């Protein structure tokens, strides 16, 4: 979707995949940093997780305001950083709250549970949009609301 959106706002074809690269790179870099930060005694991972989720939700809502290559790349960097931070804090919270004996099976059960909602979220959102007779496009505000609802459903 990021590549398609970049192409629609006039980013050249050879540069339209940069947002995806930025999402992956920033997520890759921020995960060990946030994981180490969660180990500090003065940081509460619950509050950090809530902060990341709130700000990543705002970033998704405001993503349509990007109107140039720099804006799309900045969104990619912000989204990757925030998404990587929220995922690693969630993993830290799960692993800190399980006994050492139950960590492996508990973490595997968590990943299994979220796999169903991740696999079903987009098809359910598309089905909902078709029933509401909404077109699926980037400038449809209903699609952004459904994506936000699907994101909230996961957590």
């Amino acid at each position: 979707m990021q590549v398609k959106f970049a192409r629609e706002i006039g980013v050249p074809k050879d540069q339209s995949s940069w947002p995806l690269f930025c999402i992956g790179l920033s997520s890759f870099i921020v995960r060990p940093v946030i994981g180490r930060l969660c180990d500090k005694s003065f940081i509460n991972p619950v509050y950090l997780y809530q902060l990341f989720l709130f700000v990543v939700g705002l970033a998704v809502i405001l993503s349509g305001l990007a109107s140039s290559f720099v804006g799309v790349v900045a969104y990619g960097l912000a989204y990757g950083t925030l998404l990587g931070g929220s995922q690693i804090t969630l993993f830290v919270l799960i692993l800190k709250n399980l006994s050492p004996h139950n960590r492996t099976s508990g973490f595997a059960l968590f990943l299994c549970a979220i796999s169903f909602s991740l696999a079903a979220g987009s098809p359910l959102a598309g089905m909902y949009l078709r029933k509401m007779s909404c077109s699926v496009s980037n400038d449809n505000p209903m699609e952004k609301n459904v994506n936000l609802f699907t994101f909230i459903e996961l957590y």
Side-chain angles (χ1 to χ4, degrees):
M1 174 147 168
Q2 292 299 323
V3 174
K4 183 179 177 184
F5 179 71
R7 295 286 298 135
E8 287 178 1
I9 63 171
V11 174
K13 189 175 184 178
D14 60 334
Q15 295 178 341
S16 60
S17 62
W18 269 88
L20 290 176
F21 174 74
C22 291
I23 289 171
L25 182 65
S26 61
S27 179
F28 174 76
I29 291 171
V30 80
R31 286 174 188 242
V33 173
I34 298 299
R36 188 51 107 178
L37 188 65
C38 287
D39 287 340
K40 303 296 180 191
S41 61
F42 59 90
I43 298 291
N44 188 343
V46 174
Y47 296 138
L48 196 59
Y49 177 64
Q50 290 174 343
L51 176 70
F52 277 124
L53 282 185
F54 178 74
V55 179
V56 79
L58 284 177
V60 169
I61 291 170
L62 297 174
S63 66
L65 298 177
S67 60
S68 66
F69 174 70
V70 174
V72 174
V73 168
Y75 167 73
L77 288 171
Y79 183 74
T81 301
L82 296 167
L83 192 65
S86 67
Q87 288 174 347
I88 203 68
T89 52
L90 179 63
F91 296 160
V92 166
L93 286 171
I94 290 169
L95 294 175
K96 277 189 175 181
N97 289 315
L98 293 173
S99 66
H101 177 66
N102 293 331
R103 282 187 183 150
T104 305
S105 59
F107 192 65
L109 184 62
F110 164 73
L111 292 175
C112 182
I114 66 167
S115 69
F116 293 114
S117 59
L118 286 172
S122 296
L124 288 176
M127 184 178 70
Y128 177 74
L129 285 173
R130 279 197 261 345
K131 284 188 178 183
M132 297 296 293
S133 299
C134 296
S135 65
V136 179
S137 67
N138 283 338
D139 50 340
N140 184 355
M142 188 64 169
E143 182 182 2
K144 290 181 182 175
N145 291 339
V146 171
N147 285 337
L148 182 62
F149 174 74
T150 306
F151 179 76
I152 291 170
E153 173 189 292
L154 293 175
Y155 297 101

